[in-house]
Amino acid sequence: MHIGTTLTNCIIETQRGIQGATGEFTGLLNDISVACKKISNLVDKGDLVGVLGSAGSENVQGETQKKLDIITNEVFIESLSHNGHAAGLASEEMEEICEMPADAPRGHYLVLFDPLDGSSNIDVNVSVGTIFSILKAPEGVTDPKTEDFLQPGTKQVAAGYCLYGPSTMMVMATGQGVKMFTLDKDFGEFLLTKDTVQIPEDTQEFAVNMSNSRFWEAPMKRYIDECLAGKEGPRGKDFNMRWVASMVAEVHRILCRGGVFMYPMDTKMQAKGTTGKLRLMYEANPMSFIVEQAGGAATTGRERIMDISPEGIHQRVPVVLGAKNEVERITGYHNEG
């Protein structure tokens, strides 16, 4: 597909090659793009329309919600609930799956989403984003339950994110590689700006929250210590470190120029009885799908993320993703002995 093609035309062209396609999937992705355009507009206006700051409430994970967390969640639900393309919705911001309007037509897809990833950065004007994952609803299910969403990441039919930064970008994978689209706000459409995105297998850049280093397991400490030792260490090269504290921004950087992102297990999480920091269904699975489609790898440090059989809609996991050779090295360190 040529650069400048609209997102809608790219989706239609992709669906033409799928036998028995009905246009429902195209419609669903269009619903998602409309929601992201609305959110982009809100993020752009920020304090001009009073959407910044804390909402004075907490989400299901006990995290303080920003006003935009709540607003963007409502935008996404409104955009996807009424067009007959989705059978069910699940949001990181809601304890239970979303209850669809009783009179709304149902589609054949389940959509899970984090409406505003990295929202702690919104008040300081740092990039944030929306993450989504699309699954097929079980055959014949028109009123899905929570257990219908608990499918491993390998069952995803598509995943993507929308980055709200200096420009608004939609990054999408539908099983045929990763494409990047940039929102032309004068034209009102996402236009293809990068086709067939690939992550280099090797890198000299890592992203991790170093303030947690004293709580890490030994394999992660070993890996970072080797990177920090630079040319004089066992790796024989210098590494750069990055940390934005927004998964969308971290993954986007890796897709654009390579690198590895880590949010590993640590003793603080273990003491709280949690199994990781990031949410399997809303963050780890969709980002793993995208990264693997771009030639990278994604594990918990011990196993492939997309092979995990989910046990809960808000299940958490450790995450190591990005450059294939670095991810395999880190995973190897964790699995030694």
Side-chain angles (χ1 to χ4, degrees), residues 206 210 221-240:
F206 65 88
M210 286 294 291
K221 288 181 180 179
R222 173 188 173 186
Y223 175 76
I224 296 299
D225 285 346
E226 290 178 355
C227 292
L228 296 177
K231 289 181 179 178
E232 293 73 29
R235 301 301 306 278
K237 59 182 180 180
D238 292 328
F239 281 77
N240 292 324

Side-chain angles (χ1 to χ4, degrees), residues 178-190:
V178 178
K179 292 179 170 56
M180 291 185 177
F181 302 83
T182 301
L183 180 61
D184 184 330
K185 294 186 178 180
D186 293 330
F187 187 45
E189 289 282 356
F190 283 102

Side-chain angles (χ1 to χ4, degrees), residues 57-268:
S57 58
E58 293 183 346
N59 64 14
V60 63
Q61 288 87 23
E63 300 164 336
T64 299
Q65 288 181 307
K66 299 292 186 178
K67 292 177 184 177
L68 265 177
D69 283 320
I70 297 171
I71 295 169
T72 56
N73 188 61
E74 292 172 350
V75 166
F76 227 80
I77 292 171
E78 177 65 25
S79 297
L80 272 64
S81 293
H82 302 281
N83 296 335
H85 302 136
L89 307 174
S91 169
E92 186 190 89
E93 295 297 325
M94 301 172 67
E95 185 171 1
E96 305 293 341
I97 63 173
C98 176
E99 186 172 335
M100 299 281 280
D103 59 346
R106 300 291 198 271
H108 297 88
Y109 296 96
L110 306 176
V111 184
L112 302 100
F113 57 93
D114 179 353
L116 199 66
D117 178 74
S119 59
S120 61
N121 286 324
I122 191 69
D123 293 344
V124 292
N125 209 26
V126 173
S127 296
V128 294
T130 298
I131 308 173
F132 62 89
S133 169
I134 301 175
L135 300 164
K136 278 196 173 180
E139 190 69 31
V141 172
T142 56
D143 189 19
K145 309 301 181 188
T146 299
E147 54 267 27
D148 296 315
F149 287 81
L150 301 181
Q151 303 178 35
T154 52
K155 297 292 187 180
Q156 293 174 106
V157 296
Y161 64 81
C162 194
L163 176 71
Y164 312 113
S167 59
T168 295
M169 298 191 70
M170 177 78 78
V171 178
M172 192 177 297
T174 58
Q176 301 178 36
V178 178
K179 292 179 170 56
M180 291 185 177
F181 302 83
T182 301
L183 180 61
D184 184 330
K185 294 186 178 180
D186 293 330
F187 187 45
E189 289 282 356
F190 283 102
L191 304 179
L192 182 67
T193 46
K194 193 168 184 180
D195 199 359
T196 319
V197 177
Q198 285 290 300
I199 299 171
E201 292 187 350
D202 296 297
T203 188
Q204 291 178 238
E205 189 165 276
F206 65 88
V208 70
N209 185 351
M210 286 294 291
S211 68
N212 289 328
S213 61
R214 66 190 184 279
F215 303 110
W216 291 340
E217 297 176 304
M220 184 55 61
K221 288 181 180 179
R222 173 188 173 186
Y223 175 76
I224 296 299
D225 285 346
E226 290 178 355
C227 292
L228 296 177
K231 289 181 179 178
E232 293 73 29
R235 301 301 306 278
K237 59 182 180 180
D238 292 328
F239 281 77
N240 292 324
M241 190 190 84
R242 298 287 183 266
W243 185 249
V244 184
S246 167
M247 193 181 189
V248 167
E250 305 285 4
V251 171
H252 192 74
R253 185 183 61 250
I254 289 171
L255 289 171
C256 289
R257 70 182 195 197
V260 60
F261 166 83
M262 296 157 284
Y263 214 122
M265 175 57 77
D266 63 38
T267 56
K268 285 194 304 180

Side-chain angles (χ1 to χ4, degrees), residues 276-287:
K277 174 66 175 178
L278 301 175
R279 289 77 177 175
L280 175 63
M281 306 301 290
Y282 307 103
E283 296 166 317
N285 267 342
M287 289 307 199

Side-chain angles (χ1 to χ4, degrees), residues 312-331:
I313 198 73
H314 292 290
Q315 181 176 343
R316 298 174 186 248
V317 293
V319 171
V320 177
L321 60 75
K324 186 176 182 180
N325 290 341
E326 294 301 306
V327 173
E328 289 180 351
R329 177 184 289 270
I330 297 166
T331 306

